Amino acid sequence: MDVGGTFTDLVLHDAATGEIRVAKQPTTPAAPELGVLAAVDAAVPPELLARSGHFVHGTTVGLNALLERRGATVGLITTAGFRDVLELRRGDRDDPYDLFWTPPPPLVPRRLRAEAAERVAADGTVVRELDPESVRQAARLFAAEGVDAVAIVLMNSYANPAHEVLAGELLREAGFDGPISLSHDVSGEYREYERTCTTVVDAFVRHRMGPYLHNLERELRERGFAGELLVTRSGGGALTLAEAAARPFETILSGPVAGAVATARLSQTLGLRTAVAADVGGTSFDTALIEDGRLPLLFQGEVVGLPLQSPWVDVRSVGAGGGSVAVADAGGLLRVGPRSAGAVPGPASYLRGGTEPTVTDAALHLGMITAGHISGGISLSPEKAAEVLAPLAEPTGIAGTDGVAEGVIRIAAANMAQAVRGVTVERGVDPRGAAIVAFGGAGPLFGCLLAVELDVDTVVVPPNAGNFSAVGLVQADIVRSAARTMVRPLDEEALPAIEAMAGALFERLSTAGAVREVDLDLRHRGQEHTLTIPLRLGEDDVAAVADRFSEAYRRTFGHQLPDPLEVVTVRATTRIVLDAARPLVPAPPSGASTGATTRLWSFSRRAWTDAQVVPREGFSGPAEGPLLVVEPTATTYVDAGFTAEAHPSGCLLITRKDGDR
């Protein structure tokens, strides 16, 4: 189950029979679990739900809590002298060229930030014992202010957590019964601001995530589900329900990551060296660069200006989706997004109360989507689409409704292409050598437009494209991770210490039957930033690790340095592979299938043209555009100058002709 801003997607995979079922239902923003349960009720018979082994869920509840600033009232206990670390930040500006830039307000106001008299040094030695009365005083403050959750972040607790543990116990003794987040449990890494922010975010979203997940589980159990409920992580893989409720900060980007996971798996199947995930939903466009079938994994991310020390797949998002609203600005320019019509009321053509023109309305007017019913029982009205697009012609000076609709689609595609350049060109990768994997409810509509914008030759539309992120959820492994900062030179004496630290982390992760992975954050001595390098325990010596770092450093920065290396952080990951959830590749289509014809707009010809509408099931090709390939949850738009054909994997391959570049 993938809960998006506009639609909630379901994929059911029966490993015994190979059957795949898909469904879409409108998301219910006020109570996301209602949309999830509606999709289950619509597509999963009780007998199938009863024998399902895993229910894998991608959720935006935690992310929405941060975006809307609607979470717990959080109190913070920190070491005396560090009360204002959330406001001091790093002392830099996110945008140095914006004269009006202001940092996001801290999640904990100053009056709810209490100081504990204590001090631990960076090597873990106790400089000053914790004063219990300072914690009791904080407890009295929190009780008076109605605090729901508490974050405890003491200086250097990653090296020695004894004072944090004691502070938590004292808080309970003083009568506080809400959630308590301890920073050494949440992060275990140095960098005081980042660790503080991560711990506060954990406490802030737990207030909403816990009840949501438990309510969802209760409803599923009442419907007969007896398997294991899993929630996907921002870094890929999935957590159990109990782990997700205890570590909700790990699920902040739960939804968008699933599409990147599915793209990585598909890249391995097709042998794509470089692929760009192009996930166009109703609210946003999410993209990630996949090289050699590997996820672009980072170990610190950022949401609404707040850093999070957590494994993080590098997915970039912009407000460019099917529901993105088109407006004429004060200067008469046509703009699209980032504001979205969302699930409620949705695009005007849905006839559900929407009054503003959106990308979906423009696509419908141009014939890129056929009129009638779409997933979730929604009817599309071309007349309503034209009605809301027409008023944009006069203030923008664009000739007619057709011109407005074309402009909306082209601007949306340009916004998406710019996001793709952010994960390719900015990382030194030429997108022209990549394949675009287009999915999401609107992704296949924009595949050809993105190929032209980025000068790419190949577009891949996967099976069940409209639900492809949910496919990535079904393919998830159960993943647990932990990290601990340990700054020391990389020498022969370091490896035994690293192995001991990794062993302690694995013991904490309960790794029975799991694949173990160890990574090291390394840097040249005297530098600030690190690169993360895999370590093969029991196989690598110092020279092998150093060589791997040097190659990664050269690839990243274009040169190498002779300076000695030092270890900064040890990272441990365990992975339990759910074999039954592996391949989700339907049988390849056979024969050709023809359907109706329609009138649609060709962007390459800038003219209306007649085009075939063919069902995806049974389509083999090759067939030249203009062409529409329709399936239950998505429509693929093939423009003139492109050829579409079915691949044995079940994918639709779209290629540009040399003469149409």
Side-chain angles (χ1 to χ4, degrees):
M1 300 294 310
D2 175 37
V3 181
T6 304
F7 284 101
T8 294
D9 298 343
L10 176 147
V11 167
L12 182 144
H13 177 226
D14 189 335
T17 65
E19 179 189 11
I20 299 172
R21 296 190 182 199
V22 299
K24 271 183 181 285
Q25 288 289 325
T27 294
T28 50
E33 67 272 17
L34 298 181
V36 172
L37 296 168
V40 171
D41 293 340
V44 187
E47 63 273 13
L48 278 182
L49 184 63
R51 64 185 181 89
S52 293
H54 296 90
F55 187 103
V56 192
H57 182 33
T59 176
T60 56
V61 170
L63 176 61
N64 290 341
L66 285 179
L67 294 176
E68 299 167 6
R69 294 271 172 156
R70 292 174 57 193
T73 300
V74 179
L76 172 65
I77 297 178
T78 189
T79 301
F82 292 86
R83 183 182 182 187
D84 296 319
V85 69
L86 287 176
E87 288 178 290
L88 292 173
R89 294 164 53 92
R90 285 286 167 200
D92 55 3
R93 301 168 63 86
D94 287 0
D95 185 351
Y97 302 106
D98 182 358
L99 297 179
F100 302 100
W101 178 86
T102 55
L107 290 173
V108 184
R110 196 170 195 271
R111 73 178 190 281
L112 298 182
R113 302 198 294 260
E115 295 184 333
E118 68 86 41
R119 191 58 186 263
V120 172
D123 62 0
T125 58
V126 176
V127 178
R128 180 183 180 184
E129 294 290 349
L130 175 66
D131 177 12
E133 182 55 32
S134 63
V135 178
R136 297 187 188 103
Q137 184 177 346
R140 291 192 289 270
L141 168 68
F142 298 155
E145 293 284 352
V147 164
D148 301 313
V150 172
I152 301 179
V153 189
L154 301 182
M155 189 67 176
N156 295 322
S157 60
Y158 64 88
N160 182 350
H163 284 180
E164 277 193 355
V165 173
L166 177 57
E169 294 172 351
L170 291 169
L171 204 57
R172 292 293 187 215
E173 291 174 5
F176 182 78
D177 59 0
I180 298 175
S181 297
L182 304 180
S183 74
H184 73 275
D185 282 337
V186 170
S187 171
E189 298 182 48
Y190 80 148
R191 299 188 187 280
E192 201 66 18
Y193 166 60
E194 286 80 359
R195 183 159 54 90
T196 302
C197 191
T198 304
T199 309
V200 167
V201 167
D202 181 75
F204 184 79
V205 302
R206 189 183 299 193
H207 189 65
R208 290 186 66 179
M209 278 290 291
Y212 166 75
L213 293 174
H214 289 303
N215 290 341
L216 178 61
E217 182 184 34
R218 185 188 66 250
E219 293 289 341
L220 289 172
R221 300 299 184 203
E222 290 178 357
R223 285 165 168 77
F225 176 70
E228 188 172 27
L229 196 149
L230 304 174
V231 181
T232 49
R233 307 164 68 244
S234 301
L239 298 164
T240 65
L241 180 73
E243 291 168 333
R247 298 174 63 81
F249 74 97
E250 288 201 43
T251 70
I252 296 297
L253 277 191
S254 174
V257 164
V261 172
T263 303
R265 292 276 167 82
L266 185 64
S267 297
Q268 295 168 5
T269 300
L270 300 181
L272 300 176
R273 183 168 184 179
T274 308
V276 172
D279 179 6
V280 188
T283 304
S284 66
F285 170 74
D286 304 317
T287 185
L289 174 67
I290 309 297
E291 296 184 281
D292 298 321
R294 297 195 306 269
L295 288 172
L297 191 61
L298 306 175
F299 292 96
Q300 180 172 300
E302 184 177 287
V303 175
V304 293
L306 304 175
L308 293 178
Q309 287 182 324
S310 173
W312 193 279
V313 176
D314 188 13
V315 177
R316 307 287 178 90
S317 299
V318 295
S324 295
V325 174
V327 297
D329 69 11
L333 295 178
L334 182 63
R335 297 190 181 277
V336 180
R339 189 166 60 86
S340 172
V344 180
S349 56
Y350 283 8
L351 299 178
R352 301 176 70 190
T355 58
E356 296 179 291
T358 66
V359 170
T360 295
D361 299 318
L364 179 62
H365 179 77
L366 296 176
M368 300 170 71
I369 309 172
T370 56
H373 292 278
I374 61 172
S375 301
I378 295 173
S379 299
L380 294 177
S381 169
E383 295 77 17
K384 187 65 174 178
E387 177 187 322
V388 296
L389 288 165
L392 289 176
E394 182 178 351
T396 60
I398 299 174
T401 306
D402 294 352
V404 170
E406 181 187 11
V408 169
I409 297 297
R410 286 191 181 277
I411 290 170
N415 292 340
M416 297 174 194
Q418 189 62 20
V420 172
R421 294 184 186 100
V423 299
T424 54
V425 176
E426 290 182 11
R427 296 178 58 184
V429 176
D430 189 341
R432 292 175 294 184
I436 295 172
V437 180
F439 58 95
L445 290 178
F446 283 89
C448 292
L449 289 156
L450 283 173
V452 172
E453 285 277 349
L454 298 166
D455 200 16
V456 169
D457 291 330
T458 304
V459 177
V460 179
V461 180
N464 304 307
N467 294 57
F468 195 56
S469 286
V471 170
L473 298 180
V474 175
Q475 293 175 324
D477 303 327
I478 298 178
V479 176
R480 300 181 177 96
S481 65
R484 192 68 80 225
T485 292
M486 185 180 71
V487 181
R488 60 173 300 153
L490 179 65
D491 52 28
E492 294 299 334
E493 296 178 356
L495 289 182
I498 291 169
E499 292 182 4
M501 176 69 76
L505 294 174
F506 284 130
E507 185 175 344
R508 170 185 164 190
L509 294 173
S510 302
T511 59
V515 177
R516 297 183 174 192
E517 301 168 1
V518 178
D519 295 281
L520 301 178
D521 286 2
L522 299 174
R523 65 187 179 192
H524 287 293
R525 195 176 301 169
Q527 290 187 329
E528 165 67 4
H529 299 289
T530 63
L531 293 177
T532 303
I533 306 298
L535 171 69
R536 294 187 290 264
L537 284 177
E539 299 180 27
D540 286 335
D541 56 16
V542 171
V545 176
D547 288 345
R548 202 171 297 136
F549 173 85
S550 295
E551 174 57 27
Y553 196 92
R554 183 197 60 76
R555 190 170 60 248
T556 303
F557 300 110
H559 63 275
Q560 292 175 292
L561 295 174
D563 302 329
L565 304 181
E566 65 180 3
V567 181
V568 175
T569 302
V570 179
R571 303 186 181 279
T573 303
T574 64
R575 187 180 305 276
I576 298 175
V577 178
L578 303 179
D579 292 327
R582 271 297 173 254
L584 290 184
V585 179
S590 58
S593 176
T594 59
T597 58
T598 190
R599 185 168 174 264
L600 62 74
W601 182 264
S602 169
F603 288 85
S604 62
R605 296 174 180 172
R606 299 207 67 184
W608 288 97
T609 182
D610 291 329
Q612 253 192 335
V613 180
V614 300
R616 174 92 181 247
E617 184 178 2
F619 173 76
S620 58
E624 294 188 359
L627 176 74
L628 290 184
V629 183
V630 297
E631 56 186 298
T633 60
T635 297
T636 301
Y637 170 81
V638 184
D639 202 357
F642 289 84
T643 301
E645 61 181 322
H647 186 271
S649 67
C651 294
L652 193 65
L653 296 185
I654 303 172
T655 54
R656 286 175 82 187
K657 294 191 293 186
D658 291 339
D660 290 276
R661 299 185 67 81

